[in-house]
Amino acid sequence: MTAADSIVQLPAGRFAAIDFRVKLVLLLLASTLIFVWNNLLAQGLLLGFTIALMLAAATPLATIWRLIRLTLPALVLIVVIQGLWSPFGIHPVFTLPQGLPLLGGAHVFTVEGLLFGLVVCCRILVPLLAFQLVFMTTEANDIVLGLTRLRVPYRVALLFSTTFRFVPLLLEEFQAIKDAQRLRGIDLDSFGMVRKLVAMGRMLVPLITGCLAKAQAMEIALQARAFTGSPDRTQLHPGREKLTAAQRAMIALALLFWAAAIVARIAFGMGGSVL
């Protein structure tokens, strides 16, 4: 069994307990290998591996599908555009009849264009799902601890973790505003596209106001605790500051695979062709 297979089979509790630095390395792989490979099979395997990790972390299928559904219109548009006008296109999927004026005999939707469109879709989905996986399974305190162990200034690490902590708060605030509008007889989900955009634009005012109030409350709380951002701090779980031997092995294998993939692409062109 390889190290990658062992990661996939980790139960949710074990996966969440993995050090944030290991997850950052996995995130590095997901964010860079998508540009190293043009091959659809390699991109598909990378996407499948990311989804397998999410399932191993007990991510509901509904959550994964919701993330994909949000980008689905853009993904379909990308595939259509690449299929019609990709410079890689050679073999047509079908050809318009010769008797058609102006467009007669034109090739429509090339095989290579459609395949490269699917590659671009993988390049969008892989980092999207990887970011969701990493920050869904990591507590804010572990993010700060992992970044400070990487010599990131504590103030920057705190700002980074606080930003991601505010994302679910924003979503909850937005949902609360929608529920308040629904109680007043205004159901945004029943509106048309234009009317919904106008209504959502008006909802930005209370949303931004609420976020500013929360940010001010956090500032007061930090000042009340005499926050200075000094790096000389004690940790609640000091034993978690050091990587275990298994985690070091995961990082080493992941970086070795990452370097090998780049060398193979540059030296031998592996993964460069769409097919």
Side-chain angles (χ1 to χ4, degrees):
M1 180 183 297
T2 64
D5 294 333
S6 64
I7 295 176
V8 172
Q9 295 177 1
L10 284 172
R14 290 281 300 280
F15 189 88
I18 293 178
D19 192 277
F20 182 65
R21 287 164 286 185
V22 180
K23 297 177 184 178
L24 277 182
V25 173
L26 296 177
L27 194 58
L28 171 67
L29 265 68
S31 303
T32 55
L33 290 182
I34 55 175
F35 300 106
V36 173
W37 294 328
N38 288 330
N39 187 270
L40 180 60
L41 177 60
Q43 294 278 2
L45 290 175
L46 186 59
L47 178 60
F49 179 70
T50 305
I51 295 176
L53 284 177
M54 296 189 73
L55 294 176
T59 305
L61 282 173
T63 301
I64 300 176
W65 169 241
R66 190 180 302 114
L67 290 171
I68 297 176
R69 188 177 59 187
L70 287 173
T71 59
L72 195 58
L75 299 180
V76 173
L77 182 62
I78 288 171
V79 173
V80 171
I81 291 175
Q82 291 291 336
L84 288 173
W85 297 294
S86 174
F88 305 106
I90 299 176
H91 302 91
V93 176
F94 61 89
T95 304
L96 294 178
Q98 291 289 344
L100 206 66
L102 298 178
L103 299 177
H107 298 329
V108 181
F109 285 105
T110 60
V111 176
E112 293 80 6
L114 290 175
L115 292 178
F116 187 73
L118 294 176
V119 169
V120 176
C121 292
C122 291
R123 287 177 174 172
I124 295 174
L125 289 175
V126 169
L128 174 68
L129 297 178
F131 270 95
Q132 173 73 11
L133 170 66
V134 170
F135 293 101
M136 177 193 66
T137 59
T138 309
E139 297 180 0
N141 293 334
D142 292 333
I143 295 177
V144 175
L145 179 61
L147 292 176
T148 53
R149 294 304 97 190
L150 293 174
R151 301 295 187 268
V152 175
Y154 182 78
R155 291 191 178 190
V156 177
L158 180 65
L159 179 63
F160 186 79
S161 64
T162 303
T163 301
F164 283 96
R165 185 179 292 182
F166 257 83
V167 172
L169 290 177
L170 284 174
L171 296 177
E172 291 177 6
E173 189 79 15
F174 182 74
Q175 187 61 42
I177 296 173
K178 285 184 62 178
D179 293 340
Q181 295 289 344
R182 191 176 289 112
L183 289 174
R184 292 173 173 83
I186 304 174
D187 188 6
L188 294 179
D189 296 332
S190 62
F191 288 178
M193 179 62 67
V194 177
R195 192 179 176 189
K196 182 182 292 186
L197 289 175
V198 173
M200 292 178 67
R202 293 172 179 171
M203 291 167 59
L204 289 177
V205 176
L207 180 63
I208 294 174
T209 304
C211 292
L212 291 176
K214 286 183 173 61
Q216 186 176 19
M218 179 178 294
E219 179 187 2
I220 295 173
L222 290 174
Q223 290 177 354
R225 289 166 173 79
F227 176 76
T228 61
S230 172
D232 299 327
R233 305 173 60 87
T234 58
Q235 302 293 338
L236 181 61
H237 303 290
R240 292 165 62 178
E241 296 184 22
K242 295 183 179 181
L243 293 169
T244 63
Q247 291 171 346
R248 292 178 183 273
M250 290 179 191
I251 293 177
L253 288 174
L255 292 178
L256 182 62
F257 178 77
W258 178 71
I262 295 177
V263 171
R265 172 62 194 277
I266 296 175
F268 307 105
M270 295 181 60
S273 61
V274 177
L275 298 176

